[in-house]
């Protein structure tokens, strides 16, 4: 992959690791942004990471553009030599697929969709070659996902499916964005999954909804008291399908302040994952399935 650097006005540098999304590009971007943030660079103001790129903002009165660019390029060399390992966490996210709220919403916006006669799940199943919605849902929750970026709106995670490229689910966005999307909708656009942290406009296909809050500016939710945003780049997500009864139980537990997400710490190795994706994913699932006791 060939990194491309470009200046944005007088205060920004945009760094594109690769034109095509991949875990290799994400890991390199993550390694670089972490090294830059820890590099004690005078004049560095902000770092904004994305899926396979990032942008920095600096004060040109403190550091010259050419000087900070040279620092970043030196960090790139170090990042390429660094081991592609990451101390992170794997998180179980319950999902009510085909829920009534996203269904009501998607039916209101069928004129903006590629397939006005079906649902988003039916459309996703058909264009990905599955014979049923159930098979498509199985493929969606059957493998973990990497959180590669958090943004667009506060707390919204972009997620990249951890399977080889031919098996990755791909679904285009709506032809025209909706003006409404239910809060905590599990969506998909292109090769990326997401969870809408708040209610609002959106263009991703809607597959279901999670009862687990991921953003709370008031920090009243028990698992968000330390920080209002739950996800961070590098998190690994495993979706788990639930029925309406369990969904309602989790909602009640959240409102009562007793719900806690299922989380396990893990050391992820990109090399080991690439050597045996399915076997490595099974090991991740085994770590996640360890009893809470």
């Amino acid at each position: 992959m060939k990194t491309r650097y470009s200046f944005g006005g007088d205060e920004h540098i945009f760094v594109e690791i690769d034109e095509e999304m991949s875990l290799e590009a994400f890991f390199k971007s993550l390694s670089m942004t972490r090294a830059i943030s820890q590099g004690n660079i005078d004049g560095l103001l902000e770092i904004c990471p994305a899926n396979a790129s990032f942008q920095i903002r600096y004060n040109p009165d403190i550091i010259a553009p050419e000087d900070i660019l040279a620092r970043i390029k030196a960090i790139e060399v170090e990042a390429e030599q660094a081991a592609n390992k990451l101390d992170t966490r794997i998180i179980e996210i319950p999902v009510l697929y085909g829920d009534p709220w996203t269904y009501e919403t998607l039916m209101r916006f069928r004129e903006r969709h590629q397939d006005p006669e079906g649902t988003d799940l039916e459309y996703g199943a058909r264009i990905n070659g599955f014979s049923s919605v159930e098979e498509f849902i199985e493929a969606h929750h059957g493998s973990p996902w990497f959180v590669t970026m958090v943004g667009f709106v506060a707390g919204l995670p972009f997620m990249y499916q951890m399977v080889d490229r031919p098996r990755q689910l791909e679904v285009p966005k709506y032809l025209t964005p909706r003006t409404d999307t239910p809060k905590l909708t599990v969506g998909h656009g292109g090769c990326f999954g997401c969870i809408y942290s708040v209610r609002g406009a959106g263009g991703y296909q809607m597959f279901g909804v999670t009862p687990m809050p991921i953003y709370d500016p008031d920090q009243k939710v028990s698992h968000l008291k330390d920080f209002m945003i739950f996800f961070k780049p590098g998190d690994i997500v495993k979706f788990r399908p639930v029925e309406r009864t369990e969904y309602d139980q989790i909602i009640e537990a959240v409102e009562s302040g007793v719900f806690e997400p299922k989380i396990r710490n893990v050391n992820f190795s990109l090399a080991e994952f690439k050597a045996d994706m399915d076997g490595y994913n099974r090991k991740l699932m085994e770590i996640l399935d360890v009893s809470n006791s």
Side-chain angles (χ1 to χ4, degrees):
M1 64 187 74
K2 176 65 174 178
T3 303
R4 182 171 65 90
Y5 294 86
S6 56
F7 287 104
D10 297 329
E11 298 182 347
H12 297 87
I13 296 177
F14 176 68
V15 184
E16 184 181 60
I17 303 301
D18 200 350
E19 293 182 352
E20 186 175 72
M21 177 60 197
S22 67
L23 287 181
E24 292 85 354
F26 163 69
F27 264 76
K28 182 176 177 179
S29 176
L30 183 65
S31 178
M32 288 184 67
T33 52
R34 287 185 172 183
I36 290 169
S37 67
Q38 298 168 5
N40 296 318
I41 301 176
D42 290 337
L44 177 68
L45 300 177
E46 291 180 282
I47 305 173
C48 181
N51 296 303
S53 62
F54 62 91
Q55 181 169 278
I56 69 163
R57 177 171 171 253
Y58 62 95
N59 186 339
D61 293 329
I62 296 177
I63 185 168
E66 295 78 10
D67 292 339
I68 193 168
L69 179 60
R71 292 287 301 274
I72 297 172
K73 287 184 175 181
I75 287 173
E76 179 186 2
V77 175
E78 298 173 4
E80 289 177 334
Q81 297 172 348
N84 286 326
K85 292 188 176 183
L86 178 67
D87 288 323
T88 186
R89 55 185 185 167
I90 182 168
I91 305 154
E92 183 180 87
I93 303 295
V95 181
L96 178 62
Y97 288 94
D99 66 280
W101 306 285
T102 58
Y103 178 79
E104 185 277 331
T105 303
L106 66 88
M107 295 307 292
R108 282 194 281 121
F109 292 95
R110 294 327 282 170
E111 77 281 357
R112 306 185 184 211
H113 197 275
Q114 295 89 344
D115 184 6
E117 302 303 318
T119 66
D120 292 5
L121 279 169
E122 290 169 342
Y123 176 67
R126 178 170 60 81
I127 67 170
N128 281 277
F130 292 94
S131 60
S132 68
V133 167
E134 289 72 24
E135 288 184 4
F136 178 73
I137 291 174
E138 174 67 30
H140 187 268
H141 73 75
S143 59
W145 300 68
F146 244 112
V147 175
T148 56
M149 173 181 168
V150 179
F152 181 69
V153 296
L156 184 151
F158 288 85
M159 295 170 286
Y160 188 73
Q161 196 173 19
M162 295 169 58
V163 293
D164 54 304
R165 195 172 294 272
R167 288 187 291 165
Q168 286 182 341
L169 302 177
E170 295 208 20
V171 187
K173 296 186 289 186
Y174 275 43
L175 297 173
T176 305
R178 302 176 302 274
T179 56
D180 190 21
T181 306
K183 180 181 178 181
L184 297 178
T185 289
V186 175
H188 197 102
C191 68
F192 289 106
C194 81
I195 302 174
Y196 284 82
S197 53
V198 296
R199 182 178 182 179
Y204 277 22
Q205 307 286 335
M206 297 182 288
F207 296 158
V209 67
T210 177
M212 176 181 153
I214 62 171
Y215 171 64
D216 179 19
D218 297 324
Q219 294 181 254
K220 294 180 179 179
V221 175
S222 58
H223 62 275
L224 295 172
K225 290 187 180 297
D226 292 334
F227 191 54
M228 68 179 72
I229 293 173
F230 179 75
F231 286 110
K232 52 190 175 184
D235 281 341
I236 299 173
V237 167
K238 176 61 172 65
F239 295 116
R240 180 176 66 86
V242 299
E243 299 297 329
R244 178 63 187 270
T245 299
E246 184 176 358
Y247 174 90
D248 291 340
Q249 290 172 346
I250 295 174
I251 290 289
E252 183 178 346
V254 169
E255 293 175 349
S256 301
V258 297
F259 173 78
E260 290 297 334
K262 189 174 183 179
I263 302 172
R264 297 288 182 270
N265 294 323
V266 63
N267 179 263
F268 180 84
S269 168
L270 181 60
E272 293 179 18
F273 169 75
K274 290 172 61 179
D276 180 11
M277 293 184 183
D278 291 338
Y280 198 86
N281 283 342
R282 283 194 295 270
K283 292 179 180 178
L284 290 175
M285 297 307 99
E286 291 172 0
I287 294 172
L288 185 60
D289 288 338
V290 172
S291 172
N292 283 318
S293 60

